[in-house]
């Protein structure tokens, strides 16, 4: 990952669980290559070269290029789910929890935009079994946000007619940050997160102003 992205992402780095070091280097190299060239245009030789390894060394750790993408996607979706689940289960009103969920989710997509682009936009390159696994995680992600919105509607905090459609809109808004965010731009990941939290609260008709979410 670039130095700027490492700095922006801080403790959100998702690859610490990948061992040994050579496997982690290959995974990071694959993220960079997939984000830059797309999954189908990237070869295993490209990935190995970025990691400073031979193509033969790659197969010691990953049987196929798809296995690399699957591992990246699984780790990324697990992180996304953890971010939203933590926000959904915190103390506070539905508005506070939704603001926390959105700001945290947006910060991750901005601070880890290279990873997030691969995680969110290369899903169709996976085979049927791996794709089904990731889609199941996406349904859980959807359920966490939908649950917060349902809580807000039930409590009279939100004015939402179509909870399912609004959930889709909220998630789409957050995820798209990975497509356009630039660390050299005028806003930090924290600032974009706070902006989007306020936008989403207005989207659901919240009567409670957005409070700054914890960093």
């Amino acid at each position: 990952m670039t130095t700027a992205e490492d700095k922006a992402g801080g403790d959100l780095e998702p690859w610490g669980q990948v061992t040994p070091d050579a496997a982690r280097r290959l995974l990071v190299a694959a993220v960079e290559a997939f984000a830059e060239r797309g999954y189908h245009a990237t070869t295993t030789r490209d990935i190995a070269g970025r990691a400073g390894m031979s193509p033969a060394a790659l197969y010691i750790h990953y049987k196929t290029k798809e296995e690399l993408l699957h591992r990246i996607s699984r780790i990324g979706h697990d992180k996304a789910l953890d971010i939203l689940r933590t926000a959904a289960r915190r103390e506070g009103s539905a508005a506070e929890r939704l603001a926390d969920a959105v700001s945290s989710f947006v910060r991750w997509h901005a601070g880890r935009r290279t990873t997030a682009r691969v995680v969110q936009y290369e899903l169709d390159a996976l085979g049927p079994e791996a794709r089904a696994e990731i889609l199941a995680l996406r349904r859980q992600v959807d359920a966490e946000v939908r649950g917060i919105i349902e809580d807000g509607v039930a409590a009279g905090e939100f004015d939402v007619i179509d909870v399912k459609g609004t959930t889709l809109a909220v998630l789409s808004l957050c995820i798209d940050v990975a497509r356009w965010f630039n660390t050299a731009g005028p806003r930090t990941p924290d600032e974009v997160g706070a902006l989007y939290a306020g936008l989403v609260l207005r989207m659901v008709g919240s009567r409670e102003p957005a409070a700054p979410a914890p960093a």
Side-chain angles (χ1 to χ4, degrees):
M1 233 51 81
T2 65
T3 301
E5 184 162 341
D6 286 336
K7 187 175 181 180
D11 63 349
L12 298 181
E13 169 61 59
W15 311 125
Q17 64 182 272
V18 180
T19 57
D21 178 68
R24 183 166 54 252
R25 284 164 50 203
L26 286 164
L27 206 69
V28 171
V31 169
E32 293 172 346
F34 294 157
E36 180 182 314
R37 306 187 63 186
Y39 174 81
H40 293 295
T42 298
T43 67
T44 53
R45 183 176 294 276
D46 294 331
I47 296 168
R50 284 173 183 261
M53 301 165 69
S54 70
L58 184 148
Y59 295 108
I60 295 173
H61 302 283
Y62 302 99
K63 295 178 182 178
T64 63
K65 184 175 71 168
E66 185 191 340
E67 184 180 340
L68 266 166
L69 178 62
H70 180 211
R71 187 79 189 278
I72 292 163
S73 192
R74 176 67 202 229
I75 292 172
H77 279 86
D78 281 341
K79 180 62 183 179
L81 181 57
D82 179 63
I83 288 169
L84 294 173
R85 186 169 281 161
T86 298
R89 284 153 177 70
R90 61 164 281 194
E91 295 293 328
S93 66
E96 289 170 336
R97 290 185 287 128
L98 185 60
D100 189 4
V102 169
S103 61
S104 299
F105 202 45
V106 165
R107 285 202 308 270
W108 188 79
H109 282 82
R112 291 292 165 194
R113 69 203 186 286
T114 304
T115 297
R117 281 202 301 269
V118 176
V119 168
Q120 299 292 1
Y121 297 117
E122 293 289 352
L123 177 64
D124 289 341
L126 292 172
E129 186 175 340
R131 190 171 187 274
E133 178 187 319
I134 301 304
L135 286 175
L137 288 172
R138 288 197 174 205
R139 286 191 290 271
Q140 293 180 60
V141 164
D142 181 277
E144 294 297 336
V145 176
R146 189 173 66 250
I148 300 173
I149 296 174
E150 288 172 343
D151 288 347
V153 172
E157 293 183 49
F158 300 159
D159 181 14
V160 177
I161 296 173
D162 183 349
V163 172
K164 182 178 180 181
T166 301
T167 300
L168 177 60
V170 169
L171 287 171
S172 298
L173 188 69
C174 296
I175 288 168
D176 193 56
V177 170
R179 184 183 58 79
W180 62 261
F181 185 81
N182 186 339
T183 55
R187 296 181 188 268
T188 67
D190 284 347
E191 289 170 339
V192 177
L195 172 65
Y196 274 48
L199 292 173
V200 167
L201 287 185
R202 288 193 287 276
M203 181 189 299
V204 298
S206 172
R207 298 171 179 82
E208 182 176 325

